[in-house]
């Protein structure tokens, strides 16, 4: 077990498979879980990881299905018991499709709002923690949040919806996706149900962003699905009353709840697979097109307005995260602007280099991971590179044996030279550079002009440029 996942590729494969298994087992969608892992764990997906991710999701789905059938046989209810009838696409008219597009637009706007409000909340919380540092211990600040939750629960808006809040999320999903009238805990009259659903959506929307800032977060996917389903049910009630239709069993309300949950989840996480995951709860082909339509509108709109919640959390936690720029202005920013000029920090492979010169180069290139190797000092044609840490070991070894110069053509040294380093042209734009760094997991790349080394671009410098020009990303 110690060496099973030692390499970075094996760890990433395990991460992708784990994300797919979790969604496949909980939501009953093996294909949706696989696509979700592809969208969330990496911007560029290694094709060789697909078979392991998909097979793991299939095994998890089949195992979960068998266990749930076994539990049902002994009287234990399954995780989700969505009771949809055989919904056909023909039951949706043009008005229903337009209203579902409205659901997609609303959820597409609520997703970026959620991400930005969460970021503001985290920054405000950190600012107050710095002000109270040394004044109040950490457990007292956490207690203050708990007091806020308890006070809001017993007084004010939460008192109105205390019944639905006490129900587990899986049962709330079953209630909201029920193709009939809601249980009495949601109210008896139609206007009381609408008021209850709106209040429930507001509480879930704002309190979930508070909970994920604590040390024991409650997750994002399920709360956003529940919140979106409640909002979708409200819009479904509005659509049914504004445009009456022959739907005695309330299938339209359940369909609006399903597409609302898929839309808000897709907007916050910016994953198209949320639609397939929601479709996996029912398995009805008639719901596939409406769910995917709302998901595409919601996710596409959210992508134009902000980052997803996962990238936002990485940024807030100061985790180095290089994004691919989406602005057209990035096409006019070239490697020549981003690079660090090579100057005199290079080695010549055709002559002996004094140790004092090598030490000076290492000192000047203290932030560089690799030192370029050129053919000669006159033309600076790039022939390779040598990692900084290996060059330091060579210097140390030469000092121990009393040598005052090194030659990169030496047999013991030439094997350490990377003769095929990552190279960029001077006119390569920022979008291509960022995508290349994502694809190859590169830490640096040399910039050449017709083969002549002119500079170097590093991941750390790209991240600094990203932070200084956030509007491009």
């Amino acid at each position: 077990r110690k060496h099973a996942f030692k390499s970075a590729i094996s760890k990433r494969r395990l991460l992708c498979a784990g994300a797919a298994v979790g969604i496949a087992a909980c939501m009953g969608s093996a294909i949706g879980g696989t696509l979700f892992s592809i969208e969330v764990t990496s911007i560029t997906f290694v094709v060789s990881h697909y078979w392991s991710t998909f097979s793991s999701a299939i095994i998890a789905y089949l195992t979960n299905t068998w266990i749930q059938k076994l539990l049902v046989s002994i009287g234990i209810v399954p995780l989700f018991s969505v009771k949809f009838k055989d919904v056909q696409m023909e039951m949706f008219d043009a008005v229903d499709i337009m209203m579902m597009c409205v659901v997609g637009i609303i959820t597409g706007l609520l997703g970026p709002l959620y991400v930005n409000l969460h970021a503001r909340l985290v920054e405000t919380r950190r600012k107050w923690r710095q002000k109270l540092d040394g004044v109040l211990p950490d457990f007292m600040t956490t207690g203050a949040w708990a007091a806020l939750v308890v006070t809001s629960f017993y007084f004010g808006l939460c008192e109105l919806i205390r019944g639905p809040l006490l129900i587990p999320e899986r049962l709330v999903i079953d209630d909201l996706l029920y193709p009939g009238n809601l249980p009495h805990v949601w109210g008896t009259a139609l206007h009381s149900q609408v008021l209850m659903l709106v209040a429930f959506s507001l509480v879930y929307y704002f309190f979930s962003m508070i909970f994920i800032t604590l040390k024991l977060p409650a997750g994002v996917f399920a709360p956003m699905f529940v919140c979106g389903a409640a909002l979708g049910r409200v819009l479904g009630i509005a659509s049914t009353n504004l445009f009456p239709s022959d739907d005695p069993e309330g299938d339209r309300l359940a369909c609006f709840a399903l597409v609302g949950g898929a839309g808000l989840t897709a907007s916050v996480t910016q994953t198209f697979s949320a639609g397939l995951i929601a479709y996996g709860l029912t398995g009805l082909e008639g719901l596939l097109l409406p769910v995917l339509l709302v998901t595409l509108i919601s996710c596409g709109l959210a992508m134009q307005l902000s980052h997803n919640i996962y990238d936002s959390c990485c940024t807030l936690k100061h985790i180095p995260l290089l994004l691919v720029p989406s602005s057209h202005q990035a096409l006019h920013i070239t490697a020549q602007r981003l690079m660090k000029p090579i100057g005199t920090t290079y080695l010549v492979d055709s002559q002996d280099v004094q140790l004092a010169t090598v030490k000076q180069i290492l000192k000047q290139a203290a932030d560089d991971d690799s030192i370029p190797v050129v053919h000669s000092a006159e033309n600076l044609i790039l022939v390779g590179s040598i990692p900084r840490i290996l060059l330091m070991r060579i210097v140390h070894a030469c000092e121990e044996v009393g040598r005052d110069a090194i030659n990169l053509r030496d047999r013991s040294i030439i094997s350490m030279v990377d003769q095929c380093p990552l190279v960029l042209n001077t006119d390569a734009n920022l979008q291509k550079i960022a995508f290349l760094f994502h694809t190859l997991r590169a830490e640096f790349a040399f910039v050449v002009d017709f083969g002549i080394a002119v500079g170097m671009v590093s991941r750390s410098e790209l991240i600094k440029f990203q932070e200084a020009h956030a509007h491009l990303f």
Side-chain angles (χ1 to χ4, degrees):
R1 187 176 65 177
K2 181 179 179 181
H3 303 287
F5 302 105
K6 191 174 182 179
S7 66
I9 296 179
S10 299
K11 290 179 181 178
R12 183 166 294 277
R13 180 181 298 163
L14 179 64
L15 176 64
C16 295
V21 164
I23 294 295
C26 293
M27 307 298 288
S29 177
I31 298 177
T34 303
L35 295 178
F36 182 81
S37 71
I38 292 174
E39 291 182 296
V40 171
T41 58
S42 57
I43 293 180
T44 56
F45 189 76
V46 181
V47 179
S48 60
H49 293 178
Y50 182 80
W51 72 269
S52 59
T53 303
F54 188 64
S55 59
S56 300
I58 289 292
I59 294 173
Y61 170 73
L62 294 177
T63 304
N64 181 67
T65 303
W66 177 77
I67 292 176
Q68 287 201 19
K69 289 183 178 180
L70 180 63
L71 294 177
V72 170
S73 64
I74 61 177
I76 301 177
V77 296
L79 186 61
F80 297 108
S81 55
V82 180
K83 299 180 179 61
F84 267 91
K85 299 293 191 301
D86 187 14
V87 178
Q88 301 295 330
M89 187 60 198
E90 290 75 14
M91 69 173 289
F92 302 111
D93 53 18
V95 175
D96 292 330
I97 299 300
M98 290 179 60
M99 288 300 297
M100 288 183 180
C101 292
V102 173
V103 173
I105 295 173
I106 294 176
T107 54
L109 295 175
L110 289 177
L113 179 63
Y114 182 91
V115 174
N116 292 326
L117 288 178
H118 169 260
R120 294 286 185 88
L121 178 63
V122 172
E123 293 172 355
T124 304
R125 184 167 176 260
R126 286 177 179 173
K127 182 176 67 175
W128 280 100
R129 286 188 65 179
Q130 291 176 357
K131 291 182 178 180
L132 298 176
D133 188 21
V135 179
L136 291 175
D138 187 57
F139 74 89
M140 292 190 66
T141 57
T142 305
W145 283 110
L148 173 64
V149 174
V150 173
T151 303
S152 300
F153 184 78
Y154 284 102
F155 305 99
L157 186 61
C158 290
E159 174 66 20
L160 176 67
I161 56 172
R162 184 164 28 164
L165 285 178
L166 294 176
I167 304 175
E169 281 183 346
R170 64 183 185 86
L171 297 181
V172 173
I173 292 177
D174 292 344
D175 289 347
L176 294 175
L177 299 185
Y178 186 72
N181 293 326
L182 292 173
H184 293 297
V185 71
W186 295 90
T188 54
L190 183 62
H191 67 276
S192 63
Q193 288 186 1
V194 172
L195 181 61
M196 184 79 74
L197 289 170
V198 171
F200 181 83
S201 302
L202 291 175
V203 170
Y204 240 76
Y205 186 82
F206 289 104
F207 273 71
S208 63
M209 70 176 66
I210 295 176
F211 291 149
I212 62 176
T213 63
L214 303 178
K215 294 183 178 179
L216 295 174
V220 174
F221 194 94
M224 287 298 98
F225 187 87
V226 171
C227 180
L231 179 62
R233 187 107 186 178
V234 171
L235 295 175
I237 293 174
S239 174
T240 303
N241 285 271
L242 291 175
F243 310 101
S245 63
D246 185 16
D247 183 26
E249 297 182 350
D251 289 330
R252 292 176 66 191
L253 299 181
C255 294
F256 271 93
L258 182 68
V259 299
L264 188 57
T265 305
S267 178
V268 174
T269 62
Q270 293 185 9
T271 55
F272 293 104
S273 56
L276 289 177
I277 295 171
Y279 163 73
L281 290 174
T282 63
L284 299 177
E285 296 181 358
L287 293 173
L288 183 59
L289 183 59
V291 169
L292 291 182
L293 174 64
V294 173
T295 303
L296 288 173
I297 295 175
S298 176
C299 190
L301 182 59
M303 285 182 175
Q304 302 300 319
L305 298 177
S306 72
H307 304 307
N308 62 60
I309 186 65
Y310 305 115
D311 291 346
S312 177
C313 289
C314 290
T315 304
L316 292 171
K317 292 181 179 180
H318 304 291
I319 298 176
L321 181 66
L322 180 61
L323 304 175
V324 177
S326 56
S327 174
H328 291 288
Q329 298 178 14
L331 300 176
H332 305 289
I333 301 175
T334 62
Q336 193 167 11
R337 176 180 171 182
L338 300 170
M339 72 178 186
K340 174 185 175 182
I342 196 172
T344 58
T345 57
Y346 58 84
L347 296 174
V348 180
D349 75 326
S350 59
Q351 65 184 25
D352 292 341
V353 184
Q354 298 296 320
L355 289 183
T357 304
V358 177
K359 291 180 180 179
Q360 184 65 25
I361 292 174
L362 290 172
K363 184 177 180 180
Q364 294 177 359
D367 298 330
D368 298 341
D369 295 326
S370 188
I371 307 299
V373 179
V374 299
H375 183 266
S376 65
E378 288 76 21
N379 52 31
L380 297 181
I381 296 177
L382 184 69
V383 296
S385 67
I386 182 168
R388 173 186 177 82
I389 187 170
L390 293 182
L391 187 58
M392 294 175 65
R393 291 176 183 175
I394 293 173
V395 172
H396 182 67
C398 291
E399 289 178 340
E400 286 184 344
V401 298
R403 293 178 57 181
D404 59 352
I406 61 174
N407 192 319
L408 297 181
R409 293 298 182 93
D410 190 277
R411 288 186 177 181
S412 61
I413 299 178
I414 195 171
S415 60
M416 303 180 184
V417 177
D418 181 8
Q419 300 183 16
C420 188
L422 182 60
V423 174
L424 301 170
N425 290 325
T426 54
D427 58 349
N429 61 60
L430 176 60
Q431 197 173 61
K432 290 183 178 180
I433 295 172
F435 189 80
L436 189 64
F437 271 68
H438 268 298
T439 306
L440 302 179
R441 308 292 171 189
E443 294 297 329
F444 64 91
F446 294 105
V447 181
V448 299
D449 186 14
F450 293 100
I452 299 175
V454 294
M456 185 172 70
V457 177
S458 64
R459 177 181 288 267
S460 59
E461 293 297 327
L462 286 177
I463 293 176
K464 291 180 182 178
F465 183 86
Q466 171 184 301
E467 293 174 352
H469 302 80
H471 63 282
L472 298 176
F473 297 82

